[in-house]
Amino acid sequence: MNQNDSSQALNNYFPDYVKELPEGHPVKTYFAENFYIQRILREIDETDANQDFQKFFNLFNQLSEVEKRYARKENQLFPYLEKRGWNGPSQGMWAFHDSNRDLLRGVRKKIETKDLAGLNEDMRLIIGEMQRLMMVEEMRLFPNALHLLTEEDWKEMSVGEREIGWMLSQEPAAYCKEEAAAPAAAKAVIPDRLRMDEGYMTPEQVNLMLKFMPVDLTYVDENDRVIFYNRGEDRVFPRSAGIIGREVRFCHPPKSVGTVLRILEEFKKGTKNEAAFWIRFKGRVIHIRYFAIRDKDMNYKGVIEMSQDITEIQKLEGEQRLLDWDAE
């Protein structure tokens, strides 16, 4: 099928209410992805994994990109529907996403272990489940979403979607200028709250978040002076208020200060952005990282030192996908 035929087939796939939507509208993109998925599913259904494994494997990898679509729905579309009072998709459809993810993981595991027995049957189950989900989307989810959400909602959503991505090989047309579509939350001023890049927090919330992080954080500004550290209960290295305002070169023992100063020098020159070390300290394994901080114009604004006890993390094996509180 040539490009013109493909474009015509896609246009024929759109119901009338979708054809009327502007290019780049999130719903139009969702329908285009469904058209793409349907094509992949047809090809997979016609491919015997045992007879033509490479073709099957390539198609399966293309289909696995559906994760981007699910992530967009869960993190972009569903939250906007919740704001308009419709919680059903978040509570119900998300479960269908997870079920399909499990099915795809099962096939992926068989592929990795070269266990091709029953693979065709597994894929037929996936094909049926995906087609059923797409039918619910097209018959209920998207029409209701268009009825509930405002034009401003869709514009804001289209901006956030770019952070997640799409299944399509070509990026969809931009629905609006990002500057004009900045989220309403970023435009508004909420009293007594700090405006972050994404969302708002009170100073108390920021302080609590940093306090309960299971890592030691120290912020050294562009003048090499300590301006902040978090006061957690289980800090790896002790800190006290006397360190605030102190030059960082006086905060380290002589044997390590040369390394710290070299890190700062490279960060300031822009040749490096991160440095990492791991040591044994009081019988624990400590991971120490330094991150250069830069503003939107890439001007150096200091460094974050982060120390974390990774002793227990190093012991992790396999997976734990269920809550284990009952075993305690």
Side-chain angles (χ1 to χ4, degrees):
M1 182 181 296
N2 60 42
Q3 187 172 354
N4 290 336
D5 290 342
S6 180
S7 298
Q8 184 60 47
L10 173 60
N11 190 62
N12 292 339
Y13 182 80
F14 291 153
D16 289 340
Y17 74 89
V18 174
K19 292 178 182 178
E20 296 172 358
L21 296 173
E23 290 301 316
H25 192 288
V27 168
K28 204 162 194 175
T29 301
Y30 277 121
F31 267 85
E33 284 180 326
N34 273 1
F35 177 78
Y36 175 70
I37 293 171
Q38 293 283 15
R39 180 182 64 77
I40 296 174
L41 293 180
R42 284 195 300 272
E43 290 192 50
I44 287 180
D45 193 38
E46 297 168 357
T47 303
D48 188 326
N50 294 281
Q51 298 296 322
D52 194 345
F53 176 76
Q54 190 58 53
K55 180 180 179 182
F56 169 83
F57 183 56
N58 292 340
L59 289 168
F60 179 77
N61 284 335
Q62 293 176 45
L63 185 63
S64 296
E65 290 292 295
V66 74
E67 173 58 33
K68 294 179 181 178
R69 174 186 178 81
Y70 292 165
R72 285 206 327 279
K73 288 168 64 181
E74 293 161 358
N75 295 284
Q76 291 295 123
L77 179 58
F78 291 176
Y80 278 90
L81 294 177
E82 291 163 14
K83 293 176 184 177
R84 303 301 176 186
W86 191 22
N87 299 324
S90 304
Q91 298 171 350
M93 189 168 283
W94 198 319
F96 288 110
H97 292 175
D98 286 342
S99 177
N100 286 345
R101 286 172 170 131
D102 289 340
L103 292 172
L104 290 168
R105 275 194 290 266
V107 170
R108 176 73 66 184
K109 185 174 182 180
K110 283 190 173 184
I111 290 173
E112 291 173 349
T113 59
K114 299 297 190 290
D115 177 16
L116 304 186
L119 207 54
N120 293 322
E121 290 75 13
D122 293 341
M123 285 309 305
R124 289 192 185 96
L125 176 59
I126 291 175
I127 290 170
E129 292 301 310
M130 283 195 170
Q131 287 178 334
R132 182 160 67 100
L133 180 59
M134 287 187 288
M135 183 179 67
V136 175
E137 289 176 347
E138 296 182 5
M139 299 297 291
R140 177 169 170 77
L141 177 66
F142 298 141
N144 283 358
L146 286 168
H147 176 72
L148 288 171
L149 302 184
T150 67
E151 178 67 10
E152 188 65 22
D153 290 336
W154 293 115
K155 288 180 178 179
E156 292 174 11
M157 195 185 308
S158 69
V159 176
E161 286 186 339
R162 295 185 176 277
E163 297 184 27
I164 300 173
W166 302 270
M167 288 188 69
L168 305 174
S169 57
Q170 291 186 336
E171 183 174 312
Y175 184 51
C176 60
K177 294 182 178 179
E178 292 190 6
E179 294 79 10
K187 297 177 182 176
V189 175
I190 302 178
D192 303 322
R193 296 200 181 188
L194 303 174
R195 190 176 78 181
M196 321 296 273
D197 281 350
E198 301 294 341
Y200 283 84
M201 298 177 73
T202 66
E204 180 187 26
Q205 289 170 334
V206 174
N207 192 57
L208 288 171
M209 178 182 69
L210 294 170
K211 178 179 179 180
F212 283 91
M213 275 187 176
V215 295
D216 291 5
L217 296 175
T218 303
Y219 189 166
V220 178
D221 70 10
E222 64 268 36
N223 299 312
D224 298 345
R225 293 189 178 274
V226 178
I227 60 171
F228 167 84
Y229 70 91
N230 61 338
R231 193 187 287 264
E233 294 183 1
D234 300 312
R235 287 191 60 91
V236 175
F237 302 115
R239 290 280 189 268
S240 66
I243 196 176
I244 301 300
R246 192 180 188 190
E247 283 192 56
V248 69
R249 65 192 179 98
F250 297 126
C251 300
H252 293 268
K255 64 180 180 180
S256 63
V257 70
T259 300
V260 172
L261 292 178
R262 183 186 175 194
I263 291 172
L264 295 177
E265 180 182 357
E266 298 298 330
F267 283 2
K268 290 175 182 178
K269 290 192 299 185
T271 56
K272 300 291 182 180
N273 288 303
E274 180 180 346
F277 309 89
W278 44 98
I279 63 173
R280 295 195 175 275
F281 181 72
K282 295 183 179 180
R284 312 293 289 179
V285 181
I286 310 301
H287 194 205
I288 306 169
R289 288 184 285 177
Y290 295 83
F291 299 94
I293 299 174
R294 307 185 192 281
D295 63 18
K296 64 180 181 179
D297 298 318
M298 298 305 293
N299 296 312
Y300 176 76
K301 289 297 181 179
V303 57
I304 284 285
E305 177 187 347
M306 185 177 81
S307 302
Q308 183 177 15
D309 183 340
I310 62 170
T311 308
E312 301 305 320
I313 296 175
Q314 285 192 318
K315 298 177 182 178
L316 297 178
E317 295 181 352
E319 293 184 343
Q320 178 176 303
R321 304 179 67 86
L322 300 175
L323 192 64
D324 66 346
W325 288 353
D326 293 337
E328 295 180 354

